[in-house]
Amino acid sequence: MSIGHTLLGLLESGPRHGYDLKRAFDEKFGHDRPLHYGQVYSTMSRLLKNGLVEVDGVEAGGGPERKRYAITEAGVTDVQRWLATPEKPEPYLQSTLYTKVVLALLTHRNAVEILDAQRSEHLRMMRILTDRKRKGDLADQLICDHALFHLEADLRWLELTAARLDKLAEAVIR
């Protein structure tokens, strides 16, 4: 996820302080990975330097001055370009799990145990996500569906690999 573009998009509804941007980000996108304040302010500093935001006002308080940021026309254009650009599909061709299975075969360890342990871990995570989806709002449901679909694909791969383990062993142990 592009944090900079996300913060710019949040600014399109109006100027905000860094604290407000963090809170809005965490509310909408950061359920599992909230932003650190330092991340917000370093990103805003970079966006300011690049002319994508401007300081709309400064307020004195009990601590450091609070800057209120507003998106510039260049920022709006940048967000529009980012939204219109499709994300590159990630084919996961360098899978850690595949590496573990092959190394288990090469070192004469039990690859079936690795696949079984991974299957159990995937199923555990799917139960957690299904529970969260059941209790969550629409945003949580969509996020959980995305993760569940990926876990289902992984499970299919685990089953396929288990079924082809003898052939894989022959191919890698030559």
Side-chain angles (χ1 to χ4, degrees), residues 75-87:
V76 172
T77 301
D78 199 52
V79 170
Q80 178 58 36
R81 185 176 22 250
W82 179 66
L83 291 173
T85 304
E87 290 297 307

Side-chain angles (χ1 to χ4, degrees), residues 69-116:
Y69 298 96
I71 191 168
T72 63
E73 285 301 316
V76 172
T77 301
D78 199 52
V79 170
Q80 178 58 36
R81 185 176 22 250
W82 179 66
L83 291 173
T85 304
E87 290 297 307
K88 181 181 176 190
E90 296 179 31
Y92 304 108
L93 294 177
Q94 291 296 323
S95 166
T96 303
L97 185 53
Y98 172 77
T99 302
K100 286 182 174 185
V101 170
V102 170
L103 283 175
L105 293 171
L106 289 172
T107 59
H108 306 289
R109 289 183 171 92
N110 191 336
V112 172
E113 287 178 5
I114 291 170
L115 293 170
D116 287 345

Side-chain angles (χ1 to χ4, degrees), residues 15-151:
R16 297 181 191 213
H17 296 97
Y19 173 84
D20 297 325
L21 284 168
K22 179 199 175 344
R23 193 176 72 233
F25 181 97
D26 290 352
E27 216 173 81
K28 302 285 185 204
F29 311 107
H31 292 275
D32 298 311
R33 222 180 209 179
L35 284 180
H36 298 286
Y37 284 104
Q39 215 173 351
V40 172
Y41 292 110
S42 65
T43 302
M44 295 312 295
S45 176
R46 183 177 42 80
L47 294 173
L48 186 63
K49 185 178 105 179
N50 293 336
L52 302 176
V53 298
E54 60 191 10
V55 175
D56 185 58
V58 178
E59 299 171 9
E65 293 181 331
R66 290 182 42 166
K67 293 178 185 174
R68 188 174 54 244
Y69 298 96
I71 191 168
T72 63
E73 285 301 316
V76 172
T77 301
D78 199 52
V79 170
Q80 178 58 36
R81 185 176 22 250
W82 179 66
L83 291 173
T85 304
E87 290 297 307
K88 181 181 176 190
E90 296 179 31
Y92 304 108
L93 294 177
Q94 291 296 323
S95 166
T96 303
L97 185 53
Y98 172 77
T99 302
K100 286 182 174 185
V101 170
V102 170
L103 283 175
L105 293 171
L106 289 172
T107 59
H108 306 289
R109 289 183 171 92
N110 191 336
V112 172
E113 287 178 5
I114 291 170
L115 293 170
D116 287 345
Q118 192 64 51
R119 184 180 303 104
S120 294
E121 186 59 20
H122 270 61
L123 292 171
R124 184 187 71 77
M125 181 55 68
M126 290 176 84
R127 284 190 294 277
I128 290 168
L129 288 169
T130 300
D131 187 53
R132 176 177 164 183
K133 177 182 167 181
R134 191 176 11 260
K135 296 175 182 173
D137 60 10
L138 180 59
D140 248 3
Q141 292 169 12
L142 290 170
I143 288 167
C144 289
D145 278 340
H146 186 262
L148 285 165
F149 293 150
H150 281 275
L151 290 170

